[in-house]
Amino acid sequence: MNDKMPITLTVNGEVVSQHVSPRDTLADFLRSALQLTGTHLGCEMGACGACLVLIEDRPIHACLMFAVQADGMVIETIEGLNDRGIIADLQEAFHQRNALQCGFCTPGMLVTAYHLVKTDQASSRELIRDGLSGNYCRCTGYEAIVDAIEKVASARKADAGRVASEEVGA
Amino acid sequence: MSAPLHSIDRPNSYIGRSVTRPNAKRLLAGRGRFVTDLVLPRMLHAAFVRSPYAHARIVSIDSTDAKAMPGVRLIATGENLRQLCKPWVGKLDHFKGMKSSEQWPLPVDKAVWAGQAIIAVVADTRAQAEDAAEAVMVEFEELPAVVDIDAARAPASEIIAPELGTNLCFNLRLDTGGIDDVFASAKHVVEDELHFGRHTAVTMEPRAILADYNASEHQLTVHHATQTPYQFQDLYSRHFGIPEANVRVIAPDIGGSFGMKLHVYNEDMAVIGLSMMLGRPVKYVADRLESFLSDIHARDHRVRARLAMDEGGKIIAMDVDDVTAVGAFSSYPRSSVVEGNQVVRLIGAPYNFKDYRAELSVVFQNKVQTSQYRAVGHPIACAVTERLVDMAASRIGLDPFEMRARNVIPDGAYPCASATGFKFEALSHEACLVRLKAMMNYDALRQEQAELLKQGIRRGIGIAAFVEITNPSPAFYGIGGAHISAQDGAIIKVTPSGDVQCLISVTEMGQGTETIIGQIVAETLGVEREQVKVITGDTEITPHGGATWACRGAGIGGETALQGTKRLKLNILSVAAAILQEKPERLDIRNGQIVDADSGQQRIALAEVARIVYFRSDTLPPDTNAQLTVAHHYAPQGYPFAFTNGVQASYIELDAETGFVKLLKHWVVEDCGRVINPMLVDEQVRGGVVQGLGAAFLEECLYDETGQLTNGSLADYLVPMAVEMPDIEIAHVETPTRDTELGAKGCGEAGTAAAAAAALNAVNDALASLNTSISQIPMTPARLLRALGHA
Amino acid sequence: MKARAFSYVRPTSVGDALGAYAQADDASFIAGGQSLVPALVMRLQAPSLLVDISRIESMKGIALHDGWLRIGALTRHFETLTDPLIQKHAPLLSEAAPYVAHPAIRNKGTLGGSVALADPAAEFPAIMLALGAEMEIAGAAGSRRVAADDFFIDLYQTALEPGELLVALHVPVVKEGQRWAFDEFARRRGDYAVVGGGVIASFDGGKVGDVRIVFISVGSTPVRVKAAEQALIGNSLDIGAIQRAQQALETELDPPDDKDMTSTMRMHLARVLLGRLLERVRKSA
């Protein structure tokens, strides 16, 4: 029962092969075996959202999966999102608006924010708050986070509109 | 001295600006450094066997099977750890007559709360430690559990600590005299009994500690998720008999604390001992279930209160009885009594009356220990006061704003003292009330409320005035005998490349301490803030100081940094003057350049001065005393506390059929003196308000009659989430303190101090049209349904 | 919170999954894991073998067949919001989905998992009951279909025998003119409902034809309130009919007292909720 099993998966664009105990969660695997400590453990039962990672580009609780279940999957953590530059506008907006204090919930918040903006679920404050319903923050009271996401969603839409009209106009 | 005026056009003017936090970038990149992230060579993991009973004698322990399990390195009992650690008692001398029993890292004789750590298991992995913990066999003899505040004080009650002879931890009476007569002859008396739910902090990062005892050097290094590394350095040194110089406590990034991470926990003390026994690093991270079970609780009060008023609507007296349930022993080193003490001394604080009586009873229970948690006592004092004030207003048909206007201490009346003896330097209740009323468009809201009521929609508006204790002097803990510093220290230096480093004893938990210190240093010195690095939280590197609690970081830490930087600037100008053959008083520093003070003409770069001092001291004029590093300590003088004040308002909609409440909006007008960074202050206020709203509607630790915590998980203890929380509008009045040159007071707890009170008044405002009321928080749907007659 | 050790297999067919389970002393199936993993890490459950069924292709997919929508048990919650067939033919599912936990849970949790667990506070089991769905079960003796009315037996107990697998959910497609509503009273978005309910009704010349009314968080299973349904059938959905339906709840619901609410309060909320749901259906004409 304690025998380790081999898994191969892609994490932040890199193929990783390791041996894991079946009971190791994906979160523990990422943090420990791969030393990607940006994914945080706030509750280990899928209630707080601090452990969110992207699988198939959807936010998933890394604490609610065993690493063995992730064999063959493509995973992206906050580090991957950061290094790719794909959340730079969100990070900047969070920073400018001080949409974080202690920072423990922040990686999970950014994963959720990334998804909300990408899938056009951030077009109103109400929708944003709804999208954040699974991300617990004890420090900010949420308003600054909503402000930051609203700003990015709005800016991206404006950019898309500008690009579209440029394409048409040209 | 009053704070100097700063033109916003002046270069390097940062104080008063909403600038961003340099140390937030790594948190946004997922590169935070929390204790839970740290790995040391040969590190082991601890788990604990916990008592299933609230009160039970430990009869026997058999760890034979557990010791043989894979990865297990050590199993330690209370008996093992008492060989290494001196016991503690959570008493403070200035709480006369206070009682509490001696505590060890792990108990030897009996468990006194359900979930108390009894035995420590250390293994290669946390999972293995948990496996082995399940295999430890403990025989208990169950004892009657003390779980009720009245039964606990009854003659026939089980006594938790027989050596004390009582379950009463502390009793206090305040009495200005003649109260019964005042009430007997008063035109109006209103009274109520209010119940407050027991709370827990629910920080995102649970408690975490990594202790590394190196026997070869008799050196203990502790990476500790704590607000106050200095307190723990002293404490570990004294209790474990390691010289203070050999104890290093490092507080890296902290994932939220709100006061919870200030206190001594049995598990943490055990982990120090475990590392000493093994000579290897031992890490313990409380999982979320353990957090609910073993983090300090707070705010478990039953308050009976009455208020006397004359026919003109003037408050003339208050009379209060507060019974609070703590744990089985008083917490250490800050005690479990401070909260109740603050409740009875803060009740009525915004108001102009002299006659006051209060009785406080702090009662032991077979539950987890309680201690200071954000806004310590203020939420209860404010809710009690503001509820009674609203009831009084209602009795004579006065609008709530009008009631406050008639009764708050006038803005011109200072300095003065509260009926409980708190000395107020200068508060601004009137100005804040005026500002709030305008900001929320109160008259329009009342109109809207009336219109909607015709359609059967019940809205409620509630306000709450408050004062807040900040910048405490040694009167707070020092006089009680606790080694909790009320002073702070900073070492500020110019580096060889002309940058600036400030090592300071106040600490960062995400509220922005490092940022505001950087703003103060940069502005005071005359450099860009990008050149200033602020370092906190390491007893080996930063001076010993009070760290962060009771909203002291900005006011006391800020003043420390300000004064130290002024001295550094004098030193720099002295050297520059020597280099330039100029008089120092003719020079200034702006944008990192030494300039002619009058003309602004650049004379020499700070970087160049540094280069010369560090690398070409041979070129300095003889007898030049180049001191580019300054150490400065500051202890608060003057008022024992720098009180702040404010007023909050809550606008809600009550679904009278279901008891569910929707939070529509919230407002805060706050006066925390000189605001160093408006954005950071406002975000502290917002976060605090939401914690207060959590208290008002969602949060309570529920115990059954055997002392079991029945809702100890994130699914059952409800914390505020995004959908239910309102947007919060904030404005400021600024009344600087004259006790410091900076003039800043604290703000971290203000949001929590009055949010629940405002919400309670708002809900009661909505219930008034149905001739019912509620006097308990959290205001759950069940309690509201009961008030509405649907029980 | 670390789970006890277990062995792990990941079969690729229903047959292999059933076989693996049967051979073990004490096995659990795992699909989305959103309810099982917390139970494992809290050590409330400790199977010796985890049989991961999440990649069995025959349990996936959504297809229309003969007036029924076959929804593979491994369909994830979020798909009820994005799949065009579900949105068109089983819109009550899409209506309930936003109430189910949180977005990230919905990205991994499965319909089959939710229905097989049958938490009395869960939305999807109740929706199956409201729709009159049929559960396709694979067991050692072969495959069978069980109607929703017969599927939910007691607390966490369904018609599934240990070792059997819920393979698919068959949902009758929504008919022209049917109207529905779902809602719940919950402390916070995504929390288990304090009381929740769903209604789906067909109309015949302005009068209620078929109607199914279900409640969650009122007992040990999702509950269908036939007496309330009877009070509506053959009548116009007017205020009088709605009140009679509300009164009929007395005879059918008997929620227990619990730490959050008394039975009386829950009954009261159920009445209020039913009134609001029926009002919404009435107005949606």
Side-chain angles (χ1 to χ4, degrees):
Chain A
M1 252 200 256
N2 285 316
D3 289 343
K4 301 220 173 192
M5 302 181 71
I7 59 171
T8 299
L9 62 162
T10 306
V11 180
N12 299 333
E14 194 183 303
V15 175
V16 166
S17 288
Q18 294 250 356
H19 283 75
V20 296
S21 292
R23 66 168 164 174
D24 294 344
T25 62
L26 177 61
D28 283 335
F29 172 73
L30 291 169
R31 288 177 52 75
S32 201
L34 301 186
Q35 295 165 320
L36 291 165
T37 56
T39 301
H40 295 150
L41 292 178
C43 73
E44 296 184 278
M45 52 182 277
C48 75
C51 71
L52 291 176
V53 296
L54 290 169
I55 304 184
E56 293 172 16
D57 219 33
R58 292 188 159 267
I60 302 274
H61 295 283
C63 76
L64 289 185
M65 274 182 74
F66 296 109
V68 283
Q69 291 180 281
D71 183 39
M73 290 190 179
V74 177
I75 317 262
E76 188 162 37
T77 70
I78 180 67
E79 292 92 342
L81 283 172
N82 176 72
D83 293 350
R84 253 207 298 152
I86 196 87
I87 52 168
D89 56 350
L90 280 166
Q91 289 166 312
E92 178 64 16
F94 270 56
H95 193 214
Q96 289 299 325
R97 184 58 192 83
N98 206 51
L100 70 156
Q101 290 180 27
C102 81
F104 203 78
C105 78
T106 305
M109 283 290 178
L110 286 169
V111 168
T112 294
Y114 161 82
H115 185 75
L116 287 178
V117 177
K118 186 170 185 207
T119 55
D120 193 26
Q121 294 182 75
S123 54
S124 74
R125 292 179 74 80
E126 205 176 79
L127 257 182
I128 294 169
R129 282 187 183 270
D130 204 71
L132 292 174
S133 68
N135 285 81
Y136 174 43
C137 175
R138 194 52 152 170
C139 293
T140 66
Y142 304 103
E143 188 175 338
I145 296 172
V146 176
D147 288 348
I149 296 173
E150 184 183 39
K151 184 164 187 192
V152 170
S154 177
R156 283 197 193 179
K157 219 166 229 150
D159 281 349
R162 195 167 34 245
V163 168
S165 63
E166 277 165 10
E167 284 171 354
V168 168
Chain B
M1 269 176 73
S2 56
L5 292 169
H6 287 269
S7 157
I8 213 76
D9 292 326
R10 207 194 111 104
N12 314 124
S13 85
Y14 297 114
I15 296 176
R17 282 191 196 272
S18 294
V19 294
T20 59
R21 291 169 47 213
N23 63 359
K25 297 191 97 151
R26 65 171 181 275
L27 301 172
L28 287 159
R31 296 295 300 269
R33 299 182 297 253
F34 299 92
V35 171
T36 42
D37 302 334
L38 297 175
V39 175
L40 290 180
R42 306 187 72 232
M43 182 177 79
L44 298 168
H45 297 262
F48 292 90
V49 179
R50 296 183 177 277
S51 170
Y53 302 111
H55 197 195
R57 201 167 309 284
I58 302 166
V59 175
S60 70
I61 297 171
D62 181 0
S63 56
T64 329
D65 290 345
K67 280 195 175 114
M69 290 182 65
V72 174
R73 303 288 173 176
L74 175 68
I75 301 198
T77 64
E79 198 55 61
N80 299 136
L81 288 165
R82 88 193 301 191
Q83 313 301 323
L84 293 167
C85 178
K86 292 197 190 68
W88 62 88
V89 180
K91 290 203 302 195
L92 290 170
D93 298 337
H94 61 299
F95 293 124
K96 298 276 172 261
M98 183 185 172
K99 295 180 167 64
S100 190
S101 53
E102 204 172 60
Q103 299 303 313
W104 302 93
L106 297 177
V108 177
D109 298 317
K110 60 175 186 171
V112 287
W113 48 280
Q116 183 178 13
I118 306 292
I119 295 153
V121 177
V122 186
D124 291 345
T125 69
R126 170 72 187 218
Q128 288 170 326
E130 288 188 20
D131 292 342
E134 284 189 316
V136 175
M137 321 258 275
V138 185
E139 198 189 327
F140 290 100
E141 177 203 330
E142 211 179 340
L143 300 168
V146 177
V147 295
D148 177 88
I149 47 178
D150 295 313
R153 295 176 291 163
S157 176
E158 174 84 6
I159 303 293
I160 299 172
E163 70 272 25
L164 302 179
T166 176
N167 288 326
L168 186 65
C169 171
F170 179 64
N171 179 260
L172 171 70
R173 285 205 179 96
L174 303 174
D175 194 343
T176 57
I179 299 297
D180 287 327
D181 292 337
V182 173
F183 272 86
S185 59
K187 179 75 174 166
H188 300 286
V189 172
V190 291
E191 62 186 289
D192 205 358
E193 176 175 303
L194 292 102
H195 293 255
F196 296 88
R198 194 177 177 100
H199 289 148
T200 184
V202 200
T203 57
M204 274 305 289
E205 178 207 28
R207 297 189 339 263
I209 187 168
L210 171 50
D212 182 9
Y213 176 72
N214 183 341
S216 70
E217 294 180 322
H218 194 39
Q219 168 91 26
L220 174 67
T221 305
V222 186
H223 304 265
H224 196 180
T226 174
Q227 284 175 236
T228 177
Y230 315 102
Q231 171 193 285
F232 283 104
Q233 179 197 23
D234 165 81
L235 206 147
Y236 294 146
S237 166
R238 283 185 293 111
H239 285 275
F240 288 95
I242 303 171
E244 186 191 66
N246 290 12
V247 177
R248 178 179 185 181
V249 181
I250 305 167
D253 290 330
I254 311 292
S257 178
F258 319 109
M260 187 271 283
K261 292 172 183 170
L262 283 172
H263 312 290
V264 163
Y265 289 94
N266 299 83
E267 293 90 339
D268 294 347
M269 297 298 265
V271 165
I272 307 295
L274 296 170
S275 183
M276 291 173 76
M277 289 169 78
L278 287 161
R280 289 171 69 165
V282 176
K283 182 196 264 191
Y284 168 65
V285 179
D287 65 35
R288 185 53 63 186
L289 297 184
E290 290 181 296
S291 297
F292 279 109
L293 267 185
S294 63
D295 289 350
I296 53 106
H297 288 180
R299 310 221 225 289
D300 191 342
H301 290 250
R302 180 191 65 207
V303 184
R304 295 175 177 147
R306 51 183 190 150
L307 180 154
M309 178 173 65
D310 70 19
E311 65 266 18
K314 282 284 294 161
I315 300 166
I316 53 180
M318 288 188 75
D319 185 17
V320 169
D321 181 74
D322 176 16
V323 184
T324 177
V326 297
F329 48 85
S330 172
S331 72
Y332 180 72
R334 296 169 187 252
S335 93
S336 299
V337 157
V338 170
E339 180 181 283
N341 185 55
Q342 292 197 174
V343 170
V344 294
R345 291 182 192 275
L346 283 167
I347 285 178
Y351 299 103
N352 204 2
F353 65 95
K354 289 287 163 267
D355 291 311
Y356 182 72
R357 181 172 63 191
E359 173 147 10
L360 169 71
S361 304
V362 179
V363 183
F364 290 127
Q365 306 271 278
N366 284 118
K367 296 177 183 172
V368 68
Q369 64 177 346
T370 67
S371 199
Q372 277 65 298
Y373 163 49
R374 197 173 200 174
V376 188
H378 293 65
I380 290 133
C382 183
V384 169
T385 304
E386 294 302 287
R387 167 92 184 111
L388 288 182
V389 170
D390 257 18
M391 288 172 73
S394 177
R395 176 70 64 86
I396 57 172
L398 268 186
D399 171 87
F401 269 99
E402 179 56 31
M403 181 74 189
R404 271 73 180 185
R406 286 192 196 184
N407 282 286
V408 290
I409 300 170
D411 290 355
Y414 298 96
C416 63
S418 74
T420 60
F422 280 145
K423 294 186 176 53
F424 297 136
E425 179 191 359
L427 301 178
S428 58
H429 294 298
E430 291 179 316
C432 289
L433 283 164
V434 168
R435 186 80 188 268
L436 178 69
K437 194 170 179 194
M439 192 171 135
M440 64 191 283
N441 209 345
Y442 181 72
D443 295 332
L445 282 183
R446 280 292 180 204
Q447 223 172 333
E448 183 176 65
Q449 180 187 34
E451 285 302 313
L452 290 171
L453 188 58
K454 293 177 194 158
Q455 301 166 38
I457 296 171
R458 291 178 202 280
R459 298 236 168 133
I461 306 166
I463 64 174
F466 66 96
V467 300
E468 193 202 343
I469 289 173
T470 78
N471 294 359
S473 71
F476 211 76
Y477 286 119
I479 66 171
H483 283 210
I484 295 167
S485 189
Q487 60 80 51
D488 281 286
I491 297 166
I492 312 165
K493 47 179 154 159
V494 180
T495 68
S497 64
D499 285 338
V500 181
Q501 275 190 10
C502 175
L503 293 69
I504 190 165
S505 56
V506 285
T507 48
E508 169 77 71
M509 298 170 279
Q511 77 279 52
T513 310
E514 288 177 5
T515 302
I516 60 169
I517 298 298
Q519 288 173 250
I520 292 165
V521 170
E523 175 161 334
T524 305
L525 196 57
V527 299
E528 286 181 7
R529 70 181 196 109
E530 287 72 16
Q531 283 183 272
V532 178
K533 183 172 184 175
V534 179
I535 296 162
T536 62
D538 184 337
T539 61
E540 202 109 302
I541 294 172
T542 46
H544 189 107
T548 300
W549 46 274
C551 304
R552 62 191 304 288
I556 300 175
E559 185 70 7
T560 309
L562 177 74
Q563 298 302 334
T565 305
K566 283 176 71 175
R567 287 180 44 211
L568 178 63
K569 185 173 176 181
L570 287 175
N571 288 5
I572 294 167
L573 292 180
S574 161
V575 178
I579 293 169
L580 296 169
Q581 296 288 290
E582 181 57 88
K583 288 193 171 57
E585 54 270 25
R586 307 258 316 256
L587 299 172
D588 196 4
I589 310 176
R590 290 172 205 168
N591 277 327
Q593 298 286 332
I594 315 299
V595 304
D596 193 87
D598 291 329
S599 68
Q601 187 204 351
Q602 289 181 4
R603 302 292 302 272
I604 184 171
L606 175 60
E608 179 63 9
V609 172
R611 186 192 68 82
I612 293 169
V613 168
Y614 278 98
F615 301 124
R616 294 308 309 273
S617 48
D618 57 300
T619 65
L620 289 170
D623 299 326
T624 306
N625 191 10
Q627 298 294 323
L628 294 192
T629 299
V630 158
H632 185 80
H633 287 260
Y634 169 72
Q637 313 277 331
Y639 284 85
F641 306 110
F643 279 94
T644 66
N645 67 276
V647 58
Q648 298 191 23
S650 167
Y651 188 39
I652 60 102
E653 187 170 301
L654 169 68
D655 183 333
E657 283 191 305
T658 64
F660 281 73
V661 176
K662 190 163 151 58
L663 296 167
L664 299 173
K665 193 83 186 281
H666 202 95
W667 298 262
V668 179
V669 177
E670 213 241 340
D671 184 347
C672 57
R674 182 129 175 256
V675 173
I676 299 163
N677 187 321
M679 179 168 68
L680 298 189
V681 166
D682 283 1
E683 289 311 301
Q684 279 295 289
V685 171
R686 286 199 172 90
V689 165
V690 168
Q691 270 187 309
L693 293 174
F697 294 101
L698 297 170
E699 300 184 41
E700 57 180 338
C701 299
L702 295 169
Y703 282 85
D704 69 16
E705 64 282 356
T706 67
Q708 299 292 326
L709 179 65
T710 60
N711 67 334
S713 87
L714 266 185
D716 302 305
Y717 180 97
L718 306 179
V719 289
M721 306 290 280
V723 171
E724 292 74 31
M725 290 300 114
D727 281 345
I728 300 157
E729 212 177 303
I730 304 171
H732 290 279
V733 173
E734 279 186 55
T735 309
T737 171
R738 288 178 217 266
D739 277 352
T740 64
E741 188 175 331
L742 184 62
K745 299 190 258 192
C747 74
E749 298 172 78
T752 311
L760 178 66
N761 280 350
V763 171
N764 277 316
D765 184 54
L767 289 174
S769 57
L770 293 160
N771 290 315
T772 184
S773 68
I774 183 165
S775 301
Q776 180 166 15
I777 65 163
M779 294 175 274
T780 62
R783 291 185 181 129
L784 285 164
L785 283 175
R786 194 166 290 122
L788 290 160
H790 294 299
Chain C
M1 276 157 69
K2 310 295 176 194
R4 285 204 205 125
F6 51 81
S7 301
Y8 171 88
V9 293
R10 189 167 61 234
T12 47
S13 74
V14 170
D16 287 347
L18 296 177
Y21 188 104
Q23 276 161 38
D25 286 330
D26 176 17
S28 278
F29 292 119
I30 185 167
Q34 306 299 279
S35 296
L36 182 59
V37 176
L40 293 175
V41 299
M42 287 194 273
R43 300 192 175 206
L44 298 171
Q45 288 178 43
S48 56
L49 172 70
L50 226 54
V51 180
D52 186 346
I53 56 174
S54 63
R55 305 198 201 183
I56 298 177
E57 289 304 314
S58 64
M59 289 174 66
K60 296 183 188 179
I62 300 164
L64 206 48
H65 186 70
D66 267 356
W68 292 80
L69 194 61
R70 182 189 186 274
I71 304 173
L74 290 175
T75 301
R76 284 161 296 167
H77 297 331
F78 81 85
E79 295 181 69
T80 62
L81 291 166
T82 59
D83 182 81
L85 286 174
I86 292 180
Q87 290 181 314
K88 183 167 181 204
H89 297 295
L92 187 54
L93 265 175
S94 313
E95 178 109 353
Y99 295 88
V100 176
H102 302 296
I105 302 277
R106 297 199 289 269
N107 285 337
K108 191 99 172 69
T110 64
L111 248 63
S114 174
V115 173
L117 179 62
D119 191 309
E123 291 81 3
F124 286 136
I127 299 298
M128 293 303 149
L129 193 56
L131 294 175
E134 292 185 3
M135 323 306 177
E136 183 187 329
I137 297 173
S143 174
R144 68 184 196 285
R145 272 163 79 140
V146 176
D149 280 335
D150 303 319
F151 184 78
F152 302 103
I153 296 169
D154 206 335
L155 186 62
Y156 302 123
Q157 198 187 332
T158 67
L160 284 166
E161 297 291 330
E164 290 190 316
L165 266 180
L166 179 58
V167 166
L169 305 150
H170 295 262
V171 166
V173 306
V174 70
K175 297 180 200 39
E176 185 74 41
Q178 273 191 311
R179 281 144 40 196
W180 59 88
F182 180 87
D183 208 343
E184 57 182 63
F185 301 132
R187 300 292 296 281
R188 304 168 306 176
R189 185 59 140 176
D191 282 350
Y192 281 124
V194 174
V195 168
V199 176
I200 180 161
S202 61
F203 290 82
D204 197 359
K207 305 224 190 283
V208 174
D210 269 323
V211 63
R212 290 172 76 99
I213 303 175
V214 298
F215 278 94
I216 61 178
S217 297
V218 291
S220 53
T221 66
V223 176
R224 209 181 127 200
V225 282
K226 292 181 182 160
E229 293 169 2
Q230 289 304 315
L232 296 175
I233 292 175
N235 299 317
S236 300
L237 192 53
D238 57 27
I239 299 210
I242 293 175
Q243 281 176 349
R244 284 191 301 278
Q246 288 174 298
Q247 279 150 26
L249 290 179
E250 288 297 326
T251 62
E252 288 218 70
L253 288 183
D254 188 20
D257 289 330
D258 66 23
K259 59 174 170 58
D260 293 324
M261 293 242 157
T262 62
S263 176
T264 314
M265 288 177 188
R266 271 217 161 73
M267 278 304 302
H268 168 79
L269 289 178
R271 270 195 303 275
V272 171
L273 181 62
L274 183 59
R276 293 182 185 184
L277 289 171
L278 291 175
E279 190 56 31
R280 207 185 300 172
V281 169
R282 189 177 74 82
K283 284 197 177 123
S284 70

